[in-house]
Amino acid sequence: MEKVKTAYKESQSPVSFLKNLLIARWRSLLLLLIGVYLPLQIFEILTVKIWENQAGFPWDVPILLTVHSTANPQLDVLAVALAIIGLPWTAIAILGAIALILLLQKRWRSLAYLLTASVGSIIINRTAKELMHRVRPQLWQSIAPEYSFAFPSAHAMTSITLVVILLFLTWASSWRWLVLMFGSLYVIAIAWCRLYLGVHFPSDILAGWMVALGWTIGVSLIIKPYGTKAKSVDSERPEDETTLLPEERKLITEE
């Protein structure tokens, strides 16, 4: 009996509680570190350096010139086509169609994630551009010039945001592997076309990737669009997306 009491006291100790919490939540903590903290830290470093020196980084111009050295008429057509495909308006149309499907299916949690992640990404991009006022490269005459500010790249942010949203929405199915594979190719292709056309520095692309990753993954940790198929404790019917998760129900009860 004395051993049971001792074990119970130890289980209630702060050290034991923290250990159990870390064991239970290590995946979320790892995702928070790799998917949110590190991308935002890189974005911060890029932002500070560019704020101090608008010319950017020593590797910006050499990379642009290397990509431009491959220019030919066939690649010109491909780059312009990719630039159109990668426009924010194209992604908005795709996400709008998905949002309508989610609405009809009453998948409220997934819909909330899609809207929050996509609208937030647009706001972050527009705000950062207006704050940074970084001009675009002028190393050669672009065949598809842009006249807005450059940092961070809207095309880069849009591509990452779209792919991550689709990845989380398909996380519970085998479709996630196709999304991951083709999504990665899509993100790289969009980044290449921005460099090929000479309308972005590589640091603009990297910054767009990092802030979009940090935002979309961070929102997923709050809304949890991938964690809505848990079994109900008091029923055999699985909880759908209109059902609050246990921690959400507890929070509302405490308030």
Side-chain angles (χ1 to χ4, degrees):
M1 187 68 179
E2 192 65 29
K3 291 183 179 180
V4 174
K5 289 182 178 179
T6 304
Y8 177 77
K9 289 180 180 179
E10 290 178 352
S11 68
Q12 298 303 307
S13 68
V15 174
S16 178
F17 172 78
L18 290 175
K19 182 181 71 174
N20 292 335
L21 181 64
L22 291 175
I23 292 174
R25 299 294 184 182
W26 71 269
R27 291 184 181 85
S28 296
L29 291 171
L30 185 63
L31 184 60
L32 183 65
L33 173 64
I34 298 176
V36 179
Y37 172 75
L38 289 181
L40 293 182
Q41 186 66 28
I42 295 173
F43 176 72
E44 180 189 6
I45 294 172
L46 293 170
T47 302
V48 171
K49 293 295 183 182
I50 291 173
W51 185 268
E52 295 173 349
N53 179 19
Q54 286 288 321
F57 297 86
W59 38 270
D60 270 331
V61 172
I63 291 176
L64 271 176
L65 293 177
T66 300
V67 174
H68 182 61
S69 67
T70 64
N72 62 62
Q74 290 75 27
L75 290 180
D76 288 351
V77 175
L78 177 61
V80 172
L82 287 172
I84 295 173
I85 293 172
L87 281 172
W89 289 112
T90 304
I92 289 173
I94 295 172
L95 291 174
I98 296 173
L100 181 59
I101 294 173
L102 296 176
L103 179 64
L104 294 175
Q105 294 179 347
K106 297 183 180 181
R107 294 177 58 184
W108 309 128
R109 188 178 297 275
S110 294
L111 179 60
Y113 172 69
L114 183 150
L115 294 177
T116 304
S118 56
V119 173
S121 183
I122 294 172
I123 294 173
I124 291 171
N125 182 263
R126 298 311 306 170
T127 302
K129 282 180 180 290
E130 293 301 323
L131 288 176
M132 295 301 294
H133 279 203
R134 190 188 196 189
V135 297
R136 293 179 183 271
Q138 298 178 0
L139 301 179
W140 63 85
Q141 184 64 39
S142 176
I143 58 175
E146 299 277 0
Y147 303 101
S148 60
F149 295 119
F151 184 93
S153 166
H155 276 69
M157 284 191 66
T158 299
S159 62
I160 284 286
T161 300
L162 176 61
V163 171
V164 173
I165 289 175
L166 292 177
L167 188 60
F168 278 127
L169 294 183
T170 59
W171 191 254
S173 70
S174 59
W175 285 97
R176 67 181 183 272
W177 300 114
L178 286 176
V179 172
L180 182 61
M181 181 174 62
F182 288 105
S184 299
L185 294 175
Y186 169 70
V187 167
I188 293 172
I190 295 300
W192 168 82
C193 86
R194 306 316 282 162
L195 299 178
Y196 181 89
L197 295 172
V199 293
H200 275 297
F201 292 105
S203 52
D204 298 332
I205 304 292
L206 183 59
W209 283 349
M210 293 299 102
V211 70
L213 270 178
W215 169 252
T216 51
I217 294 177
V219 172
S220 77
L221 290 173
I222 297 172
I223 299 181
K224 299 181 180 178
Y226 46 81
T228 60
K229 295 300 182 182
K231 291 284 186 179
S232 175
V233 174
D234 54 358
S235 174
E236 295 182 357
R237 185 178 64 86
E239 297 182 358
D240 58 25
E241 294 195 5
T242 63
T243 305
L244 294 176
L245 296 176
E247 57 267 31
E248 295 169 340
R249 190 181 298 109
K250 182 179 177 182
L251 180 61
I252 293 175
T253 303
E254 291 176 352
E255 292 178 349

